[in-house]
Amino acid sequence: MVKESTIKKVDDLIERYPALAVCKEDMKAAVEVICESYRAGHKLIACGNGGSASDAEHVVGELMKGFLLPRKLDKQMEQRFREVCPDSADYFMENLQGALPALSMVNQVALNTAFANDQAPDLSFAQQLLGMGDEGDVLLAISTSGNSTNVIYALDMARAKGVKSIALTGKSGGKIKAKNMADITICVPEDETFKIQEYHLPVYHMLCIAAENEFFGE
């Protein structure tokens, strides 16, 4: 059960972007799945192609450090620093921030290029998820068309590994929506790629804001 103030982040988003009201229930479900995963000690893994690859990286950047909140480290962490690295403890406590564990599968250049060359280019995300996805993790799969083959294979692997999946797509949802490939599919109400991406950013910002509020907010 997530906090009321966390779920309210969905309503705050819709107030700013009324057209996203059609995605309200799916966005709420996505917030709940992400928060439940983090509460159980798991991580979020993101992927996408082109602009969506940049979005996957963006998501990781917002989750792994402070976004809107300061995320001060707790006394237990401070005590541990003072035990094992006392000379660095003050500097660490002053500057480090609490993290929500997240990984992007698009920045593994050596692995992705080697696997694409030696095996199958459209299975590079699936290969990574096979190696690092754990049951209870969340895959955030971003595809404006909903038809990206490598993203679809990643969603297949998520089901095989017991990884929860959230797809972020356009209005039609493509094959991902038609075949119910993700646990949750957020279909923003646009058809053109650049317009879909213009909605994707505030949606994933909201997901990051909600997760941060759940674990570091009041």
Side-chain angles (χ1 to χ4, degrees):
M1 191 73 174
V2 301
K3 297 188 291 194
E4 241 180 78
S5 60
T6 296
I7 288 295
K8 188 177 180 298
K9 303 304 178 185
V10 176
D11 295 323
D12 293 345
L13 175 66
I14 292 170
E15 188 175 335
R16 297 196 305 278
Y17 298 89
L20 289 172
V22 296
C23 306
K24 182 175 181 176
E25 295 309 313
D26 291 319
M27 291 191 294
K28 283 186 175 181
V31 167
E32 290 171 353
V33 163
I34 291 170
C35 291
E36 287 167 6
S37 177
Y38 277 135
R39 187 170 288 109
H42 298 294
K43 62 185 177 291
L44 181 142
I45 303 169
C47 68
N49 299 296
S52 298
S54 297
D55 288 333
E57 288 282 284
H58 192 163
V59 169
V60 172
E62 306 298 17
L63 291 171
M64 286 287 288
K65 62 169 185 58
F67 184 13
L68 300 186
L69 302 177
R71 300 199 198 178
K72 293 294 184 182
L73 301 184
D74 60 25
K75 292 294 183 182
Q76 185 177 359
M77 197 74 250
E78 179 179 9
Q79 183 178 347
R80 185 63 177 155
F81 289 153
R82 298 202 183 283
E83 289 171 359
V84 302
C85 49
D87 292 343
S88 306
D90 287 338
Y91 187 57
F92 281 1
M93 289 303 297
E94 182 180 349
N95 292 287
L96 293 179
Q97 299 171 313
L100 293 166
L103 297 166
S104 164
M105 294 196 286
V106 305
N107 65 1
Q108 304 296 329
V109 178
L111 172 58
N112 282 337
T113 54
F115 195 81
N117 185 66
D118 300 340
Q119 298 298 132
D122 56 4
L123 291 178
S124 60
F125 292 156
Q127 176 65 34
Q128 288 190 62
L129 199 60
L130 175 64
M132 67 182 175
D134 297 314
E135 186 172 352
D137 287 346
V138 173
L139 171 67
L140 179 61
I142 309 172
S143 171
T144 57
S145 67
N147 296 319
S148 303
T149 306
N150 56 352
V151 173
I152 286 171
Y153 284 139
L155 288 165
D156 285 342
M157 182 59 68
R159 290 196 300 276
K161 293 279 290 186
V163 171
K164 294 288 187 180
S165 57
I166 300 166
L168 190 53
T169 72
K171 187 175 182 179
S172 76
K175 293 177 184 176
I176 291 174
K177 179 67 173 178
K179 297 185 177 181
N180 292 317
M181 292 180 166
D183 294 309
I184 300 160
T185 303
I186 300 171
C187 300
V188 301
E190 279 294 349
D191 294 310
E192 291 184 82
T193 297
F194 80 96
K195 292 180 181 178
I196 294 168
Q197 290 170 331
E198 287 174 353
Y199 275 136
H200 278 184
L201 188 149
V203 169
Y204 67 68
H205 262 175
M206 179 277 296
L207 296 176
C208 295
I209 290 166
E212 181 179 65
N213 180 79
E214 183 71 9
F215 298 99
F216 299 98
E218 294 296 328

